[in-house]
mmCIF file of all heavy atoms in Angstrom:
data_model
loop_
_atom_site.group_PDB
_atom_site.id
_atom_site.type_symbol
_atom_site.label_atom_id
_atom_site.label_comp_id
_atom_site.label_asym_id
_atom_site.label_seq_id
_atom_site.Cartn_x
_atom_site.Cartn_y
_atom_site.Cartn_z
ATOM 1 N N ASN A 49 3.815 -1.575 42.006
ATOM 2 C CA ASN A 49 3.205 -0.321 42.370
ATOM 3 C C ASN A 49 2.727 -0.352 43.830
ATOM 4 O O ASN A 49 2.388 -1.436 44.310
ATOM 5 C CB ASN A 49 2.061 0.070 41.482
ATOM 6 C CG ASN A 49 2.467 0.854 40.249
ATOM 7 O OD1 ASN A 49 3.514 1.482 40.288
ATOM 8 N ND2 ASN A 49 1.664 0.831 39.237
ATOM 9 N N PRO A 50 2.660 0.755 44.496
ATOM 10 C CA PRO A 50 2.060 0.748 45.873
ATOM 11 C C PRO A 50 0.650 0.171 45.823
ATOM 12 O O PRO A 50 -0.133 0.457 44.957
ATOM 13 C CB PRO A 50 2.027 2.254 46.259
ATOM 14 C CG PRO A 50 3.139 2.841 45.449
ATOM 15 C CD PRO A 50 3.114 2.119 44.097
ATOM 16 N N THR A 51 0.369 -0.700 46.736
ATOM 17 C CA THR A 51 -0.927 -1.333 46.807
ATOM 18 C C THR A 51 -1.689 -0.874 48.013
ATOM 19 O O THR A 51 -1.091 -0.461 49.040
ATOM 20 C CB THR A 51 -0.812 -2.898 46.838
ATOM 21 O OG1 THR A 51 0.003 -3.263 47.981
ATOM 22 C CG2 THR A 51 -0.103 -3.400 45.565
ATOM 23 N N GLY A 52 -3.032 -0.918 47.947
ATOM 24 C CA GLY A 52 -3.848 -0.504 49.080
ATOM 25 C C GLY A 52 -3.747 -1.454 50.245
ATOM 26 O O GLY A 52 -3.382 -2.639 50.100
ATOM 27 N N ASP A 53 -4.096 -0.916 51.449
ATOM 28 C CA ASP A 53 -4.107 -1.797 52.596
ATOM 29 C C ASP A 53 -5.126 -2.905 52.462
ATOM 30 O O ASP A 53 -6.193 -2.697 51.892
ATOM 31 C CB ASP A 53 -4.486 -0.988 53.850
ATOM 32 C CG ASP A 53 -3.372 -0.029 54.213
ATOM 33 O OD1 ASP A 53 -2.285 -0.123 53.632
ATOM 34 O OD2 ASP A 53 -3.551 0.804 55.133
ATOM 35 N N SER A 54 -4.810 -4.071 52.958
ATOM 36 C CA SER A 54 -5.748 -5.172 52.958
ATOM 37 C C SER A 54 -5.383 -6.118 54.111
ATOM 38 O O SER A 54 -4.208 -6.339 54.360
ATOM 39 C CB SER A 54 -5.703 -5.931 51.645
ATOM 40 O OG SER A 54 -6.618 -7.023 51.641
ATOM 41 N N SER A 55 -6.363 -6.644 54.800
ATOM 42 C CA SER A 55 -6.132 -7.618 55.835
ATOM 43 C C SER A 55 -6.158 -9.014 55.262
ATOM 44 O O SER A 55 -5.949 -9.991 55.966
ATOM 45 C CB SER A 55 -7.201 -7.484 56.938
ATOM 46 O OG SER A 55 -8.470 -7.645 56.445
ATOM 47 N N GLU A 56 -6.443 -9.155 53.948
ATOM 48 C CA GLU A 56 -6.516 -10.433 53.292
ATOM 49 C C GLU A 56 -5.731 -10.394 51.995
ATOM 50 O O GLU A 56 -5.904 -9.493 51.183
ATOM 51 C CB GLU A 56 -7.970 -10.792 52.990
ATOM 52 C CG GLU A 56 -8.164 -12.136 52.257
ATOM 53 C CD GLU A 56 -9.596 -12.379 51.909
ATOM 54 O OE1 GLU A 56 -10.423 -11.428 51.991
ATOM 55 O OE2 GLU A 56 -9.943 -13.497 51.479
ATOM 56 N N TRP A 57 -4.846 -11.323 51.857
ATOM 57 C CA TRP A 57 -4.034 -11.395 50.612
ATOM 58 C C TRP A 57 -4.107 -12.851 50.073
ATOM 59 O O TRP A 57 -4.171 -13.784 50.842
ATOM 60 C CB TRP A 57 -2.577 -11.031 50.850
ATOM 61 C CG TRP A 57 -2.370 -9.632 51.212
ATOM 62 C CD1 TRP A 57 -2.289 -9.025 52.430
ATOM 63 C CD2 TRP A 57 -2.207 -8.538 50.271
ATOM 64 N NE1 TRP A 57 -2.080 -7.713 52.368
ATOM 65 C CE2 TRP A 57 -2.042 -7.333 51.022
ATOM 66 C CE3 TRP A 57 -2.201 -8.444 48.880
ATOM 67 C CZ2 TRP A 57 -1.854 -6.094 50.436
ATOM 68 C CZ3 TRP A 57 -1.989 -7.195 48.307
ATOM 69 C CH2 TRP A 57 -1.846 -6.056 49.067
ATOM 70 N N TRP A 58 -4.071 -12.969 48.761
ATOM 71 C CA TRP A 58 -4.028 -14.278 48.136
ATOM 72 C C TRP A 58 -2.887 -14.305 47.121
ATOM 73 O O TRP A 58 -2.620 -13.343 46.427
ATOM 74 C CB TRP A 58 -5.334 -14.535 47.367
ATOM 75 C CG TRP A 58 -6.516 -14.764 48.288
ATOM 76 C CD1 TRP A 58 -7.256 -13.814 48.928
ATOM 77 C CD2 TRP A 58 -7.073 -16.015 48.659
ATOM 78 N NE1 TRP A 58 -8.270 -14.384 49.646
ATOM 79 C CE2 TRP A 58 -8.166 -15.757 49.519
ATOM 80 C CE3 TRP A 58 -6.793 -17.342 48.326
ATOM 81 C CZ2 TRP A 58 -8.983 -16.749 50.046
ATOM 82 C CZ3 TRP A 58 -7.597 -18.337 48.859
ATOM 83 C CH2 TRP A 58 -8.652 -18.072 49.701
ATOM 84 N N MET A 59 -2.163 -15.415 47.070
ATOM 85 C CA MET A 59 -1.084 -15.629 46.154
ATOM 86 C C MET A 59 -1.226 -16.988 45.540
ATOM 87 O O MET A 59 -1.624 -17.933 46.172
ATOM 88 C CB MET A 59 0.269 -15.532 46.852
ATOM 89 C CG MET A 59 1.461 -15.955 45.951
ATOM 90 S SD MET A 59 2.977 -16.276 46.868
ATOM 91 C CE MET A 59 3.840 -17.351 45.718
ATOM 92 N N SER A 60 -0.919 -17.090 44.220
ATOM 93 C CA SER A 60 -0.846 -18.437 43.603
ATOM 94 C C SER A 60 0.351 -18.483 42.712
ATOM 95 O O SER A 60 0.873 -17.434 42.204
ATOM 96 C CB SER A 60 -2.104 -18.686 42.771
ATOM 97 O OG SER A 60 -2.196 -17.894 41.657
ATOM 98 N N ILE A 61 0.864 -19.653 42.504
ATOM 99 C CA ILE A 61 2.037 -19.852 41.690
ATOM 100 C C ILE A 61 2.061 -21.302 41.203
ATOM 101 O O ILE A 61 1.573 -22.207 41.952
ATOM 102 C CB ILE A 61 3.327 -19.508 42.441
ATOM 103 C CG1 ILE A 61 4.544 -19.445 41.460
ATOM 104 C CG2 ILE A 61 3.592 -20.472 43.564
ATOM 105 C CD1 ILE A 61 5.801 -18.885 42.096
ATOM 106 N N MET A 62 2.508 -21.579 40.029
ATOM 107 C CA MET A 62 2.734 -22.927 39.515
ATOM 108 C C MET A 62 4.223 -23.178 39.508
ATOM 109 O O MET A 62 5.000 -22.385 39.022
ATOM 110 C CB MET A 62 2.131 -23.125 38.125
ATOM 111 C CG MET A 62 0.607 -23.005 38.142
ATOM 112 S SD MET A 62 -0.082 -23.223 36.456
ATOM 113 C CE MET A 62 -1.784 -22.751 36.796
ATOM 114 N N VAL A 63 4.583 -24.320 40.060
ATOM 115 C CA VAL A 63 6.018 -24.646 40.173
ATOM 116 C C VAL A 63 6.273 -26.061 39.658
ATOM 117 O O VAL A 63 5.377 -26.931 39.663
ATOM 118 C CB VAL A 63 6.532 -24.523 41.575
ATOM 119 C CG1 VAL A 63 6.500 -23.092 42.068
ATOM 120 C CG2 VAL A 63 5.734 -25.388 42.560
ATOM 121 N N ASN A 64 7.458 -26.313 39.222
ATOM 122 C CA ASN A 64 7.906 -27.622 38.696
ATOM 123 C C ASN A 64 9.423 -27.643 38.776
ATOM 124 O O ASN A 64 10.086 -26.624 38.607
ATOM 125 C CB ASN A 64 7.352 -27.786 37.284
ATOM 126 C CG ASN A 64 7.504 -29.210 36.755
ATOM 127 O OD1 ASN A 64 7.978 -30.072 37.492
ATOM 128 N ND2 ASN A 64 7.071 -29.443 35.531
ATOM 129 N N ARG A 65 9.943 -28.802 38.979
ATOM 130 C CA ARG A 65 11.408 -28.940 38.975
ATOM 131 C C ARG A 65 11.777 -30.106 38.060
ATOM 132 O O ARG A 65 11.029 -31.085 37.913
ATOM 133 C CB ARG A 65 11.934 -29.161 40.393
ATOM 134 C CG ARG A 65 11.693 -30.579 40.932
ATOM 135 C CD ARG A 65 12.607 -30.872 42.109
ATOM 136 N NE ARG A 65 12.412 -32.218 42.605
ATOM 137 C CZ ARG A 65 13.184 -33.246 42.242
ATOM 138 N NH1 ARG A 65 14.155 -33.121 41.395
ATOM 139 N NH2 ARG A 65 12.954 -34.476 42.762
ATOM 140 N N LEU A 66 12.965 -29.986 37.449
ATOM 141 C CA LEU A 66 13.472 -31.146 36.670
ATOM 142 C C LEU A 66 14.682 -31.714 37.426
ATOM 143 O O LEU A 66 14.513 -32.512 38.353
ATOM 144 C CB LEU A 66 13.858 -30.646 35.270
ATOM 145 C CG LEU A 66 12.703 -30.233 34.394
ATOM 146 C CD1 LEU A 66 13.209 -29.875 33.006
ATOM 147 C CD2 LEU A 66 11.641 -31.284 34.312
ATOM 148 N N THR A 67 15.849 -31.300 37.104
ATOM 149 C CA THR A 67 17.011 -31.804 37.816
ATOM 150 C C THR A 67 17.305 -30.994 39.071
ATOM 151 O O THR A 67 16.768 -29.920 39.283
ATOM 152 C CB THR A 67 18.266 -31.660 36.871
ATOM 153 O OG1 THR A 67 18.440 -30.274 36.540
ATOM 154 C CG2 THR A 67 18.126 -32.472 35.622
ATOM 155 N N TRP A 68 18.033 -31.640 39.950
ATOM 156 C CA TRP A 68 18.404 -31.020 41.209
ATOM 157 C C TRP A 68 19.757 -31.464 41.686
ATOM 158 O O TRP A 68 19.949 -32.693 41.791
ATOM 159 C CB TRP A 68 17.370 -31.295 42.313
ATOM 160 C CG TRP A 68 17.575 -30.502 43.550
ATOM 161 C CD1 TRP A 68 18.444 -30.854 44.589
ATOM 162 C CD2 TRP A 68 17.022 -29.259 43.912
ATOM 163 N NE1 TRP A 68 18.389 -29.858 45.575
ATOM 164 C CE2 TRP A 68 17.519 -28.932 45.186
ATOM 165 C CE3 TRP A 68 16.080 -28.438 43.290
ATOM 166 C CZ2 TRP A 68 17.133 -27.730 45.821
ATOM 167 C CZ3 TRP A 68 15.706 -27.257 43.939
ATOM 168 C CH2 TRP A 68 16.252 -26.928 45.178
ATOM 169 N N LEU A 69 20.687 -30.537 41.914
ATOM 170 C CA LEU A 69 21.951 -30.937 42.466
ATOM 171 C C LEU A 69 22.263 -29.936 43.586
ATOM 172 O O LEU A 69 22.652 -28.804 43.338
ATOM 173 C CB LEU A 69 23.059 -30.830 41.366
ATOM 174 C CG LEU A 69 24.488 -31.177 41.805
ATOM 175 C CD1 LEU A 69 24.511 -32.647 42.304
ATOM 176 C CD2 LEU A 69 25.451 -30.990 40.643
ATOM 177 N N GLY A 70 22.087 -30.432 44.779
ATOM 178 C CA GLY A 70 22.329 -29.569 45.932
ATOM 179 C C GLY A 70 23.793 -29.305 46.188
ATOM 180 O O GLY A 70 24.664 -30.001 45.665
ATOM 181 N N VAL A 71 24.051 -28.288 46.943
ATOM 182 C CA VAL A 71 25.427 -27.936 47.334
ATOM 183 C C VAL A 71 25.644 -28.340 48.749
ATOM 184 O O VAL A 71 24.978 -27.821 49.672
ATOM 185 C CB VAL A 71 25.652 -26.405 47.147
ATOM 186 C CG1 VAL A 71 27.104 -26.083 47.527
ATOM 187 C CG2 VAL A 71 25.318 -25.997 45.732
ATOM 188 N N PRO A 72 26.612 -29.259 49.009
ATOM 189 C CA PRO A 72 26.838 -29.676 50.396
ATOM 190 C C PRO A 72 27.174 -28.543 51.317
ATOM 191 O O PRO A 72 27.855 -27.593 50.932
ATOM 192 C CB PRO A 72 28.070 -30.636 50.267
ATOM 193 C CG PRO A 72 27.982 -31.112 48.852
ATOM 194 C CD PRO A 72 27.429 -29.936 48.054
ATOM 195 N N SER A 73 26.571 -28.548 52.494
ATOM 196 C CA SER A 73 26.804 -27.541 53.520
ATOM 197 C C SER A 73 26.292 -26.186 53.168
ATOM 198 O O SER A 73 26.691 -25.191 53.817
ATOM 199 C CB SER A 73 28.258 -27.524 53.896
ATOM 200 O OG SER A 73 28.758 -28.770 54.316
ATOM 201 N N ALA A 74 25.515 -26.075 52.111
ATOM 202 C CA ALA A 74 24.947 -24.739 51.729
ATOM 203 C C ALA A 74 23.448 -24.724 52.027
ATOM 204 O O ALA A 74 22.809 -25.756 52.167
ATOM 205 C CB ALA A 74 25.200 -24.438 50.280
ATOM 206 N N ASN A 75 22.857 -23.553 52.141
ATOM 207 C CA ASN A 75 21.436 -23.410 52.250
ATOM 208 C C ASN A 75 20.852 -23.607 50.866
ATOM 209 O O ASN A 75 20.838 -22.759 50.047
ATOM 210 C CB ASN A 75 21.092 -22.025 52.790
ATOM 211 C CG ASN A 75 21.602 -21.781 54.171
ATOM 212 O OD1 ASN A 75 21.592 -22.686 55.027
ATOM 213 N ND2 ASN A 75 22.037 -20.589 54.423
ATOM 214 N N THR A 76 20.381 -24.838 50.668
ATOM 215 C CA THR A 76 19.981 -25.259 49.328
ATOM 216 C C THR A 76 18.490 -25.169 49.116
ATOM 217 O O THR A 76 17.760 -26.053 49.531
ATOM 218 C CB THR A 76 20.477 -26.710 49.022
ATOM 219 O OG1 THR A 76 21.852 -26.821 49.361
ATOM 220 C CG2 THR A 76 20.253 -27.101 47.616
ATOM 221 N N TYR A 77 18.066 -24.054 48.481
ATOM 222 C CA TYR A 77 16.642 -23.950 48.169
ATOM 223 C C TYR A 77 16.541 -22.966 46.968
ATOM 224 O O TYR A 77 17.462 -22.236 46.632
ATOM 225 C CB TYR A 77 15.816 -23.510 49.330
ATOM 226 C CG TYR A 77 16.085 -22.130 49.844
ATOM 227 C CD1 TYR A 77 15.495 -21.003 49.248
ATOM 228 C CD2 TYR A 77 16.938 -21.918 50.880
ATOM 229 C CE1 TYR A 77 15.742 -19.713 49.711
ATOM 230 C CE2 TYR A 77 17.209 -20.649 51.389
ATOM 231 C CZ TYR A 77 16.612 -19.542 50.798
ATOM 232 O OH TYR A 77 16.915 -18.275 51.231
ATOM 233 N N ILE A 78 15.355 -23.012 46.357
ATOM 234 C CA ILE A 78 15.003 -22.024 45.324
ATOM 235 C C ILE A 78 13.529 -21.729 45.424
ATOM 236 O O ILE A 78 12.690 -22.685 45.419
ATOM 237 C CB ILE A 78 15.417 -22.487 43.924
ATOM 238 C CG1 ILE A 78 14.945 -21.445 42.860
ATOM 239 C CG2 ILE A 78 14.856 -23.857 43.601
ATOM 240 C CD1 ILE A 78 15.499 -21.751 41.496
ATOM 241 N N VAL A 79 13.164 -20.438 45.568
ATOM 242 C CA VAL A 79 11.782 -20.122 45.860
ATOM 243 C C VAL A 79 11.413 -18.834 45.064
ATOM 244 O O VAL A 79 12.264 -18.080 44.692
ATOM 245 C CB VAL A 79 11.516 -19.891 47.345
ATOM 246 C CG1 VAL A 79 11.552 -21.170 48.148
ATOM 247 C CG2 VAL A 79 12.517 -18.859 47.930
ATOM 248 N N GLY A 80 10.138 -18.620 44.845
ATOM 249 C CA GLY A 80 9.626 -17.436 44.196
ATOM 250 C C GLY A 80 8.290 -17.013 44.828
ATOM 251 O O GLY A 80 7.518 -17.846 45.282
ATOM 252 N N GLY A 81 8.059 -15.714 44.876
ATOM 253 C CA GLY A 81 6.776 -15.215 45.443
ATOM 254 C C GLY A 81 6.818 -13.742 45.625
ATOM 255 O O GLY A 81 7.431 -12.997 44.776
#
């Protein structure tokens, strides 16, 4: 939903990874936010 103006923002997230198989020559990342 539209949010009010603010000069201060806070974000939190819990992350964890298990396996990882990167792709050669690719932009290899995974993010959320």
Side-chain angles (χ1 to χ4, degrees):
N49 269 338
T51 57
D53 290 351
S54 180
S55 58
E56 178 183 12
W57 292 95
W58 290 80
M59 171 196 158
S60 68
I61 191 171
M62 294 180 189
V63 294
N64 193 358
R65 73 164 184 96
L66 294 183
T67 58
W68 186 277
L69 181 60
V71 180
S73 302
N75 295 322
T76 308
Y77 65 85
I78 176 170
V79 289

